[in-house]
Amino acid sequence: MRLMISGGGTGGHIYPALALIEELRRTDPDADVLYVGSTRGLEKDIVPKNNIKFKELKIQGFKRSLSFSNIKTVALFLQSLHKSKKMIKEFKPDVVVGTGGYVSGAVVYAASQMGIPTMIHEQNSMVGLTNRFLSKHVDKIAVGFEDAISQFPKEKTIYTGNPRAQQVANLKSDFEWQDVGLKNDVPTLLIFGGSQGALKINKVVTESIRLFNKKDYQVLFVTGKKRYADVMKQIGDQKINDNIVIKDYISDMPNMLPKVAAIVGRAGATSLAEITALGIPSVLIPSPYVTADHQTKNALSLVKNDAALIITEADLTPETLIDNADFIMNDKDKREKMAENSRQMGCRDAATRVLDVAKSICK
Ligand SMILES: CC(=O)N[C@H]1[C@@H](OP(=O)(O)OP(=O)(O)OC[C@H]2O[C@@H](n3ccc(=O)[nH]c3=O)[C@H](O)[C@@H]2O)O[C@H](CO)[C@@H](O)[C@@H]1O
């Protein structure tokens, strides 16, 4: 198969695409893949490291208010459309797949205009801007949450789960906590605010260091690449005990996640697919800044099943953070029960399902 794939901006759109590519290469070693990303997103660092051909487009999103930059957005979109068509003519894909982010809007739309089979994957329970636009033009729509089906044309939409779930569930981890300076035999709480880190979570965690210092469990706190320096400045000369390690980014999350006892984090759809694939209990702090508050909806699907706890960003303080973290980390039975509930929700064959949909539309 010749697969052209595009997903950009944040990890939540990129990692499902990488998981799909991994599944394609596993089942079809002769497959040829071209990934098209944006010049500004995380994909330009992440994708080439995975030995995947990568091409870039310059593109940006619409501002919600009337703004001059929206004129530039339209110009960049038209330019990207033109470049995408050129790339498609050269690469000659059998199918073009979009996993979200503005860049996928141009690439998938260009392909649909040229009569190439197209599909999108929507990770969230609420459809995003780009996928809403593309849904009218593509042949198939794969969704990560059953709740999303009703927001798309019924006849071409199918529930598949999120390909990243299968990737993390199948990996044989050789990760050791000693690799990051922690102990192997102490339960570890992983704290991170999605693929880019979250300002409020970082602030409250830095204010909680004194309290985490005293815990019997360990904490790995991941700040997001661009936020690390600020966090270290905020921490200043506070004492950090051996049970806490701070990192800017984890490059190989699938290898680490199976060894994590619990997670405190945002409720991005791809993170939740990983959490449920592996059965990890979590404390979720949904981002209030995303389209249609979709992270709250994502989070509540786990909370309803007693697989996660939720703290709204407005209620997040060192006290609520520590109370919720302790609730999970200090009670092994509770943790195991939540882990099982979380595992029940996992969709561990999602990459196969998405690939099957892509194959079904190839000419
Ligand atoms: C602010 C924003 O727009 N967030 C959206 C974005 O989130 P975001 O990009 O944060 O996506 P998710 O939380 O869903 O996924 C994050 C991904 O990055 C990985 N990771 C994270 C940290 C790290 O150090 N290393 C690492 O590899 C995680 O393992 C996961 O695979 O896309 C998601 C999926 O469409 C949406 O649900 C989110 O609402």
Side-chain angles (χ1 to χ4, degrees):
M1 181 195 281
R2 296 182 68 74
L3 169 70
M4 187 160 168
I5 192 159
S6 179
T10 71
H13 298 308
I14 302 162
Y15 289 114
L18 297 188
L20 180 64
I21 295 168
E22 186 180 288
E23 177 61 6
L24 173 63
R25 286 179 165 172
R26 189 183 70 76
T27 53
D28 176 3
D30 295 330
D32 205 352
V33 179
L34 175 64
Y35 196 115
V36 185
S38 69
T39 43
R40 300 209 293 191
L42 295 177
E43 62 272 22
K44 69 175 190 313
D45 300 321
I46 298 173
V47 175
K49 281 189 195 138
N50 284 270
N51 192 22
I52 297 165
K53 264 187 269 175
F54 182 72
K55 288 200 171 174
E56 285 179 352
L57 291 174
K58 192 168 178 201
I59 200 149
Q60 66 182 29
F62 278 103
K63 295 263 182 311
R64 276 167 211 276
S65 56
L66 271 179
S67 142
F68 178 72
S69 94
N70 283 344
I71 298 172
K72 192 173 166 203
T73 302
V74 173
L76 286 175
F77 182 81
L78 294 173
Q79 206 180 75
S80 294
L81 211 55
H82 179 71
K83 286 188 181 160
S84 299
K85 285 183 180 168
K86 236 177 112 195
M87 286 177 197
I88 291 167
K89 271 189 198 136
E90 276 166 22
F91 184 70
K92 299 185 181 61
D94 295 313
V95 58
V96 176
V97 178
T99 57
Y102 302 115
V103 67
S104 68
V107 176
V108 176
Y109 183 61
S112 74
Q113 283 196 322
M114 293 169 77
I116 310 281
T118 49
M119 69 174 281
I120 50 175
H121 181 266
E122 172 57 66
Q123 294 91 42
N124 291 287
S125 50
M126 297 293 288
V127 50
L129 210 64
T130 304
N131 279 348
R132 187 184 298 279
F133 159 69
L134 288 175
S135 63
K136 300 180 191 80
H137 304 283
V138 295
D139 298 299
K140 288 279 177 194
I141 299 164
V143 297
F145 278 91
E146 301 211 24
D147 287 358
I149 294 177
S150 60
Q151 299 160 53
F152 288 114
K154 204 173 163 200
E155 65 289 352
K156 54 180 170 183
T157 305
I158 178 166
Y159 169 75
T160 56
N162 184 318
R164 181 73 164 182
Q166 182 167 343
Q167 187 181 34
V168 297
N170 287 344
L171 193 113
K172 300 269 170 290
S173 168
D174 60 4
F175 177 79
E176 309 244 347
W177 286 111
Q178 280 156 353
D179 300 347
V180 293
L182 289 169
K183 295 196 176 93
N184 275 342
D185 53 355
V186 179
T188 306
L189 177 68
L190 169 65
I191 307 180
F192 72 108
S195 57
Q196 308 185 75
L199 201 65
K200 176 81 186 275
I201 295 179
N202 286 355
K203 178 172 176 288
V204 171
V205 176
T206 56
E207 291 166 0
S208 311
I209 297 285
R210 190 175 43 85
L211 301 165
F212 279 128
N213 273 339
K214 297 185 200 143
K215 299 299 171 191
D216 294 331
Y217 53 84
Q218 307 181 127
V219 176
L220 176 62
F221 170 33
V222 184
T223 62
K225 262 203 174 121
K226 291 189 183 147
R227 302 187 196 273
Y228 182 78
D230 278 350
V231 166
M232 295 321 276
K233 210 159 113 195
Q234 276 167 35
I235 289 177
D237 53 10
Q238 278 189 77
K239 183 167 180 278
I240 303 176
N241 281 357
D242 291 350
N243 68 323
I244 304 175
V245 164
I246 306 175
K247 295 270 178 204
D248 62 345
Y249 193 77
I250 304 300
S251 306
D252 195 358
M253 203 56 117
N255 203 27
M256 174 187 283
L257 286 175
K259 306 287 171 80
V260 166
I263 285 176
V264 169
R266 286 294 196 208
T270 299
S271 290
L272 298 193
E274 295 165 354
I275 285 174
T276 53
L278 293 166
I280 304 174
S282 55
V283 179
L284 301 175
I285 306 150
S287 167
Y289 314 109
V290 296
T291 320
D293 198 20
H294 66 246
Q295 288 204 4
T296 299
K297 200 159 180 230
N298 292 348
L300 288 176
S301 64
L302 272 74
V303 174
K304 259 188 337 215
N305 288 303
D306 198 14
L309 305 173
I310 186 167
I311 313 177
T312 63
E313 181 161 299
D315 286 343
L316 183 65
T317 62
E319 292 70 34
T320 54
L321 174 66
I322 296 286
D323 279 357
N324 280 273
D326 281 357
F327 184 78
I328 295 185
M329 295 304 289
N330 291 343
D331 184 342
K332 194 159 183 259
D333 287 348
K334 177 76 194 159
R335 205 161 70 227
E336 282 173 0
K337 185 83 193 62
M338 283 176 78
E340 185 45 35
N341 293 341
S342 169
R343 228 188 86 78
Q344 296 273 341
M345 297 179 68
C347 183
R348 282 169 286 275
D349 60 353
T352 307
R353 291 188 195 206
V354 177
L355 186 58
D356 284 347
V357 179
K359 281 185 195 156
S360 75
I361 53 174
C362 286
K363 285 176 185 158

